[in-house]
């Protein structure tokens, strides 16, 4: 399918527009709130809470008999919130570590949810059809009212985050200092975790219980590579999440039988990989370039200092020496001629003939400056 046709369908095809909007809302909300989970080193929280939400969905259906998204989201949110309280209580009252408590709650709640789904499947009225989409997601089943529900709840979560911006920043970076200032850090922790749970349950119908943790962690992990500022990180994380949601929806609509949820996760994974390699401050590619540049600079400095050490044995510091001698004393450990050419371009050395090189006055001053800087650093 042509790109122009895809863009046209994005605006005028009801199903694609609905799925893309829902996925974008999910990416924005989960990306923004997931930034706090990543900064607080609680990346597994999304995985645990998405699995813990499953019994809430089943119980909400058993109690109401309804499959309306708002009711099921409410049940998922309550179950996820209860799971969060269990984790906090286990960590606070026992010696079990946070990651172990998450794993415990995840497995128990998810197992309970699967048992409830099995019970629902045995009901004679067979009205359970469709609940299994919360396991792996079924974005194509999104309706306009589902997107409106996601948008309203997501807006509430984002607005709450903005209202408590300073408090959440303090909680993320120095909770102990916040406690000394009199802030209710425990209540703020519960509030922030509740918002993250809300962001998680909003995406269960789109990407499912199994993959939802990726939408919480991946956009924030990608954004973290590009900035050291919380505001910029939250904004970038939201943008990355929205891009992954829209592109994933477009790709799944253009290829037969390509599920939307996993495609969205793959799209955000590509963004993470690109960020890991090409982000200016932390990207592996740029780090490699910087290391290569530093190695080259050190190589050139080694040749310059080797030439200076040889010149000290003569009254005239501009006494020339051959390349073979520089190689013999190990100056630069290879590539001596290339380093000498670079030094010549900088006016630090000069060639007296085809095989001998000597320091210039600028080169002598540069060596002394390097030695002085090293002494200062030591």
């Amino acid at each position: 399918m042509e790109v122009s046709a895809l863009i046209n369908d994005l605006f005028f095809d009801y199903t694609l527009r609905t799925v893309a909007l829902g996925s974008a809302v999910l990416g924005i909300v989960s990306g923004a709130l997931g930034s706090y989970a990543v900064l607080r080193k609680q990346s597994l929280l999304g995985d645990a809470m998405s699995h813990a939400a499953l019994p809430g969905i089943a119980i909400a259906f058993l109690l109401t008999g309804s499959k309306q998204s708002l009711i099921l989201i409410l049940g998922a949110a309550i179950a996820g919130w209860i799971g969060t309280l269990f984790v906090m209580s286990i960590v606070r009252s026992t010696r079990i570590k946070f990651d172990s408590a998450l794993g415990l709650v995840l497995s128990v709640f998810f197992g309970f949810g699967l048992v409830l789904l099995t019970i629902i499947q045995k009901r004679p009225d067979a009205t359970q059809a469709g609940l299994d989409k919360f396991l792996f997601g079924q974005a194509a089943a999104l309706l306009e009212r589902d997107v409106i529900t996601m948008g309203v709840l997501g807006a509430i979560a984002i607005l709450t985050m903005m209202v408590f911006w300073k408090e959440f920043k303090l909680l993320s970076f120095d909770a102990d200092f916040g406690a000394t200032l009199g802030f209710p850090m425990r209540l703020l922790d519960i509030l922030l975790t509740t918002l993250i749970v809300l962001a998680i349950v909003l995406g269960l119908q789109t990407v499912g219980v199994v993959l939802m943790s990726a939408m919480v962690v991946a956009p924030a992990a990608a954004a973290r590579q590009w900035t050291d500022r919380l505001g910029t990180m939250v904004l970038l994380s939201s943008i990355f999440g929205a891009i992954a949601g829209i592109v994933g929806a477009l790709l799944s609509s253009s290829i037969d039988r390509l599920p939307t949820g996993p495609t969205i996760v793959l799209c955000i994974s590509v963004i993470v990989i690109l960020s890991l390699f090409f982000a200016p401050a932390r990207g592996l590619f740029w780090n490699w370039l910087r290391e290569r540049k530093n190695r080259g600079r050190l190589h050139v400095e080694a040749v310059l200092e080797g030439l200076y050490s040889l010149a000290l044995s003569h009254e005239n510091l501009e006494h020339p020496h051959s390349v073979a001698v520089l190689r013999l004393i190990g100056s630069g450990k290879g590539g001596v001629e290339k380093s000498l050419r670079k030094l010549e371009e900088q006016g630090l050395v000069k060639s007296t003939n085809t095989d001998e090189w000597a320091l210039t006055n600028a080169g002598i001053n540069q060596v002394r400056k390097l030695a002085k800087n090293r002494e200062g650093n030591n």
Side-chain angles (χ1 to χ4, degrees):
M1 185 178 293
E2 296 181 357
V3 176
S4 58
L6 275 178
I7 296 176
N8 181 74
D9 291 343
L10 180 61
F11 289 98
F12 299 105
D13 183 85
Y14 171 81
T15 302
L16 179 57
R17 184 177 68 243
T18 302
V19 173
L21 281 175
S23 302
V25 170
L26 166 62
I28 292 171
V29 178
S30 62
L33 293 167
S35 299
Y36 292 97
V38 170
L39 289 174
R40 299 179 67 198
K41 299 180 180 180
Q42 295 180 345
S43 300
L44 285 176
L45 183 65
D47 196 25
M49 294 307 100
S50 60
H51 284 72
L54 184 60
I57 296 170
I59 292 174
F61 174 77
L62 287 172
L63 292 178
T64 64
S66 172
K67 290 184 289 182
Q68 292 186 8
S69 60
L70 182 60
I71 294 176
L72 298 181
I73 286 175
L74 180 61
I78 293 174
W81 188 70
I82 292 174
T84 302
L85 294 182
F86 269 117
V87 172
M88 293 180 176
S89 299
I90 291 172
V91 173
R92 187 175 61 253
S93 58
T94 68
R95 294 184 177 181
I96 298 177
K97 301 298 182 182
F98 182 77
D99 56 346
S100 300
L102 282 176
L104 182 64
V105 170
L106 181 155
S107 57
V108 171
F109 274 64
F110 188 62
F112 182 45
L114 290 177
V115 170
L116 291 177
L117 284 182
T118 302
I119 294 173
I120 292 173
Q121 289 173 359
K122 295 180 179 180
R123 288 165 61 103
D125 53 5
T127 56
Q128 80 283 356
L131 283 186
D132 56 346
K133 67 176 177 287
F134 286 94
L135 282 175
F136 300 102
Q138 190 175 346
L142 284 175
L143 302 176
E144 188 173 334
R145 65 172 181 267
D146 298 328
V147 176
I148 293 174
T149 300
M150 293 172 65
V152 171
L153 294 177
I156 293 173
I158 296 295
L159 288 174
T160 305
M161 179 194 72
M162 294 175 65
V163 170
F164 291 93
W165 179 265
K166 293 182 179 179
E167 289 81 0
F168 288 161
K169 181 188 291 188
L170 194 59
L171 176 66
S172 300
F173 292 104
D174 200 340
D176 292 334
F177 178 65
T180 61
L181 295 179
F183 287 99
M185 303 311 291
R186 183 178 175 186
L187 292 178
L188 289 172
D189 189 7
I190 293 175
L191 176 60
L192 178 57
T193 306
T194 301
L195 294 179
I196 296 175
V197 170
L198 179 59
I200 291 169
V201 299
L202 288 179
L204 292 182
Q205 187 173 352
T206 305
V207 299
V209 166
V210 178
L211 298 176
M212 186 56 213
S213 60
M215 295 303 298
V216 175
V217 176
R224 184 68 182 92
Q225 308 306 312
W226 295 86
T227 182
D228 289 323
R229 300 182 63 86
L230 176 61
T232 307
M233 178 180 173
V234 170
L235 179 61
L236 284 176
S237 183
S238 299
I239 293 173
F240 290 157
I243 291 174
I246 295 174
V247 173
L250 289 173
L251 289 176
S252 65
S253 69
S254 61
I255 302 176
D256 292 338
R257 296 191 176 184
L258 185 65
T260 304
T263 305
I264 293 174
V265 173
L266 288 177
C267 289
I268 192 60
S269 300
V270 171
I271 294 176
V272 172
I273 292 173
L274 292 175
S275 299
L276 288 173
F277 276 93
F278 298 109
R282 295 184 175 86
L284 297 177
F285 175 73
W286 300 112
N287 285 339
W288 175 77
L289 284 183
R290 282 191 290 268
E291 290 177 0
R292 183 178 179 182
K293 183 178 179 180
N294 288 335
R295 285 197 300 267
R297 178 179 56 81
L298 294 173
H299 191 283
V300 171
E301 289 179 358
V303 172
L304 183 65
E305 291 172 343
L307 195 57
Y308 180 75
S309 64
L310 290 172
L312 288 176
S313 61
H314 302 272
E315 293 183 2
N316 181 12
L317 293 180
E318 296 185 17
H319 184 85
H321 294 85
S322 67
V323 174
V325 174
L326 287 170
R327 287 201 194 99
L328 187 62
I329 65 173
S331 298
K333 297 182 179 179
V336 175
E337 293 92 340
K338 184 178 180 180
S339 298
L340 287 169
R341 296 298 179 188
K342 291 182 179 179
L343 291 169
E344 185 181 28
E345 293 174 0
Q346 300 172 21
L348 301 179
V349 301
K350 57 186 178 181
S351 176
T352 58
N353 58 47
T354 57
D355 191 49
E356 291 190 339
W357 295 81
L359 291 168
T360 63
N361 286 329
I364 295 171
N365 293 330
Q366 179 66 16
V367 174
R368 290 172 176 171
K369 182 179 178 181
L370 291 172
K372 185 177 180 181
N373 290 338
R374 285 199 186 90
E375 290 177 0
N377 293 332
N378 292 333

